[in-house]
Amino acid sequence: MARILLIETSTALCSTAICDGPRVLSYRENPHREHSALTAQFVHEMLMETGLRIRDMDAVSVSRGPGSYTGLRVGSSTAKGLCFGGGVPLLSVSSPEVLFGETSQEERASHRYIVPMIDARRMEVFTCVFTPEGKMITEIEAKVVTEGSFSDLLSEGDVLFIGDGALKCKDTLLSDRAHFRECYPSAKGMTEPSLKAFSEGRFEDMAYFEPFYLKEFKTTVSKKKLF
């Protein structure tokens, strides 16, 4: 089985892991948006803990988004730097794939669909739809959640809404078939989709790889008077 270094920085949670096949050898996380300060530090700590080097990895995998613009930039640049320096290939998986990887076998077996939700401010989320077998059946999109959202899915059976954008939709999606679990995509959740990407040979071109932002980054003008 492949040994992969995993980097997830798409939301407020900064996390890294090293997996050897499905087994996680080392893990680090911090939920306070300190990606710039902690991502490389976490990688260093894990390598020291396991006695491994970057060149001992079969690949480095990064969450490509969608999610936080700054977080994705930090994760992407860190992953590419490690790959260039260690001479190992780069993998990427989407944030919704990572959230699906956070679900248990029991959750998958008891729901008709799995719907990852990444918070995109107000009532908007980055989302798509998975079957319990892990097949993505819709494209990833930015969606404003209203009372009628996902009614077609809920008419077919129980749906699990999972992610850091899930709970804010609980008072809008009023159905006995709608179930919610709040969590962040983490490096541990990257294990399953990253191993699949590795086995299928879906490596990225490091020179041209860019995160999947989905929405353009918008800057705002500060209202504070500097002078």
Side-chain angles (χ1 to χ4, degrees), residues 211-222:
F212 176 44
Y213 300 115
L214 189 58
K215 295 177 67 176
E216 291 185 5
F217 178 68
K218 295 181 180 180
T219 58
T220 58
V221 178
S222 174

Side-chain angles (χ1 to χ4, degrees), residues 122-214:
R122 298 185 179 86
M123 287 307 295
E124 189 172 31
V125 294
F126 299 126
T127 188
C128 63
V129 180
F130 284 91
T131 67
E133 296 73 34
K135 181 180 180 180
M136 187 188 296
I137 59 174
T138 66
E139 295 293 326
I140 300 172
E141 63 175 333
K143 186 180 185 70
V144 176
V145 178
T146 65
E147 290 182 4
S149 298
F150 307 105
S151 58
D152 54 337
L153 304 182
L154 292 165
S155 69
E156 297 183 34
D158 287 3
V159 178
L160 175 64
F161 298 95
I162 182 172
D164 65 329
L167 284 190
K168 73 178 184 181
C169 301
K170 189 172 184 178
D171 292 334
T172 302
L173 301 175
L174 300 176
S175 170
D176 292 339
R177 292 178 169 180
H179 307 276
F180 303 86
R181 179 156 74 86
E182 184 175 40
C183 71
Y184 291 109
S186 75
K188 287 182 180 178
M190 294 179 67
T191 303
E192 182 180 351
S194 296
L195 289 170
K196 181 179 179 182
F198 183 87
S199 68
E200 295 174 355
R202 292 190 275 116
F203 301 107
E204 300 289 349
D205 185 326
M206 284 182 281
Y208 297 100
F209 173 75
E210 289 289 337
F212 176 44
Y213 300 115
L214 189 58

Side-chain angles (χ1 to χ4, degrees), residues 20-127:
D20 191 354
R23 186 166 64 100
V24 175
L25 304 180
S26 183
Y27 180 72
R28 295 288 189 281
E29 70 171 39
N30 181 286
H32 302 302
R33 295 188 183 276
E34 298 183 49
H35 304 66
S36 297
L38 294 178
T39 305
Q41 177 185 321
F42 282 171
V43 172
H44 175 72
E45 290 176 0
M46 293 192 309
L47 294 175
M48 295 294 291
E49 180 181 291
T50 58
L52 297 169
R53 298 164 294 180
I54 293 298
R55 60 188 176 196
D56 294 324
M57 305 296 152
D58 294 301
V60 173
S61 181
V62 65
S63 176
R64 64 176 176 268
S68 160
Y69 181 89
T70 301
L72 292 174
R73 295 300 296 177
V74 171
S76 173
S77 59
T78 303
K80 289 200 284 186
L82 292 170
C83 289
F84 278 121
V88 297
L90 176 67
L91 299 167
S92 76
V93 295
S94 71
S95 308
E97 287 180 282
V98 180
L99 281 172
F100 181 84
E102 302 280 359
T103 60
S104 66
Q105 291 299 324
E106 290 76 16
E107 286 175 319
R108 298 178 191 184
S110 59
H111 292 89
R112 176 71 169 138
Y113 297 105
I114 311 292
V115 179
M117 286 182 158
I118 297 164
D119 190 16
R121 306 284 178 88
R122 298 185 179 86
M123 287 307 295
E124 189 172 31
V125 294
F126 299 126
T127 188

